[in-house]
Amino acid sequence: MAAVDSFHLLYRQVSRSCGGYVEGLALLGALYAASKAALAARGAYRLLRLHFLPRLVKNRDLVRCYGRWALVSGASGTVVKAYAEELARHGVSIIILSPDIGSLSGTATAISESHGVDAVLVEVDFSHGPSVCRSVQDAIRDRDVGFVVNGLDAGLDVPHDFAELSEGWLWDVVTRATAAATLVTRLALPGMVARRRGAVVNISPGASCRPGLKRATLSASTAFLEHFSRALHHEYGGRGIFVQSVTPLHVAARAGTGSWLAPDGRVYARHAVSTLGICHRTTGYWPHALQAGLARWMPEWMWVTGSRLLA
């Protein structure tokens, strides 16, 4: 009984019998730590490769790599407009599709005068049905279209109670958001495939990759563009077509008012265009990649609670 009551003797006996289990647990812990370290190292490498190394290289000849013309829809949005201007800075001529070309005439003139490229406005309202595709076909005929840039309608990014939205508004905005991207890509893709070069860039708000209050339509449209991009990548990636989904977070609307976390459109577009040909899914800007990584680890209930507080 005295031996049993001895704590040190009992401890040695337990340690001896459990020694194999302790070593096994230690091995599992070491493997877990090594796997986390490998994931962190891979994430750091991808961040450097995507957002830093391309900017150290001299500007690529995008016209030679992809084509001379870019077909742009959704240019009323800050990011899409800045993206088109950045392509023009690289010598790419721009065809802007819009249901209201009057609001974008200044943008087209500024692009043409600032960068010495052609900028063409084409009035197209996809909510009127597929018959409007003829004007797009006429605009791209005999032109080396190497880029398709699609963006969501800016009207989707306004918070609304879903039940209060009118049927007409939903039809117009959702059709312009999803049908426009689908049809514009469909019209330009055959020529790209024939030339075995081209890029399709679909831009949608990264903040809507998770459910958000009063933005049900925007979240659904963002998911559509994301899956549309991934499907096109698997279908046409082997035929010389680079397909990219770009999901920026907050971008300042006015030039010169941006910050490190929320750059202005020009700064953001310069970073985003540098990722062309490297990554198929990106936020386009490395501080946004850090924020998106944090958001992915956040539980959905916490995300929704935060959106409710900010609404």
Side-chain angles (χ1 to χ4, degrees), residues 26-275:
L27 179 60
L28 287 176
L31 291 175
Y32 178 79
S35 66
K36 290 298 182 181
L39 288 175
R42 186 180 69 172
Y45 167 73
R46 292 180 62 183
L47 191 69
L48 288 171
R49 176 176 174 270
L50 178 61
H51 295 288
F52 292 97
L53 295 181
R55 295 181 59 77
L56 298 177
V57 181
K58 186 179 178 181
N59 286 340
R60 293 175 297 166
D61 187 349
L62 296 183
V63 173
R64 182 179 61 82
C65 292
Y66 298 104
R68 184 167 297 280
W69 286 85
L71 192 59
V72 181
S73 67
S76 58
T78 300
V79 175
V80 179
K81 184 188 301 183
Y83 200 99
E85 292 174 351
E86 180 63 17
L87 289 178
R89 193 176 70 86
H90 286 266
V92 179
S93 295
I94 308 296
I95 302 173
I96 300 176
L97 308 178
S98 174
D100 181 15
I101 60 175
S103 63
L104 292 172
S105 59
T107 299
T109 301
I111 288 175
S112 181
E113 293 179 351
S114 300
H115 305 290
V117 298
D118 293 325
V120 179
L121 283 170
V122 180
E123 188 168 9
V124 179
D125 190 343
F126 286 98
S127 65
H128 293 163
S131 60
V132 301
C133 292
R134 183 173 299 277
S135 58
V136 181
Q137 292 171 326
D138 293 338
I140 66 176
R141 184 175 291 114
D142 299 326
R143 283 176 170 156
D144 178 16
V145 176
F147 300 87
V148 172
V149 181
N150 295 309
L152 293 179
D153 191 288
L156 284 170
D157 202 15
V158 179
H160 294 287
D161 286 328
F162 186 76
E164 296 178 359
L165 298 174
S166 68
E167 293 85 350
W169 185 90
L170 276 173
W171 176 264
D172 289 345
V173 175
V174 174
T175 302
R176 290 172 187 169
T178 57
T182 308
L183 289 172
V184 169
T185 304
R186 163 62 183 83
L187 294 171
L189 201 55
M192 293 181 176
V193 173
R195 292 185 290 271
R196 296 194 64 82
R197 62 173 186 172
V200 178
V201 180
N202 293 317
I203 302 174
S204 55
S208 295
C209 63
R210 305 286 294 272
L213 296 181
K214 299 187 177 183
R215 284 182 167 84
T217 311
L218 178 61
S219 295
S221 300
T222 297
F224 171 83
L225 277 188
E226 170 70 15
H227 285 272
F228 181 54
S229 302
R230 292 164 65 182
L232 283 180
H233 160 62
H234 291 297
E235 187 172 353
Y236 288 96
R239 306 191 211 179
I241 311 302
F242 179 79
V243 184
Q244 186 180 55
S245 174
V246 181
T247 53
L249 296 179
H250 183 62
V251 175
R254 290 186 298 170
T257 61
S259 63
W260 178 66
L261 291 177
D264 63 30
R266 183 174 301 178
V267 172
Y268 174 83
R270 193 159 297 183
H271 281 262
V273 170
S274 71
T275 68

Side-chain angles (χ1 to χ4, degrees), residues 159 207-208 210-215 219 298-311:
S208 295
R210 305 286 294 272
L213 296 181
K214 299 187 177 183
R215 284 182 167 84
S219 295
M298 187 181 298
E300 187 168 298
W301 66 266
M302 187 180 297
W303 177 273
V304 173
T305 301
S307 66
R308 181 178 288 111
L309 293 175
L310 294 174

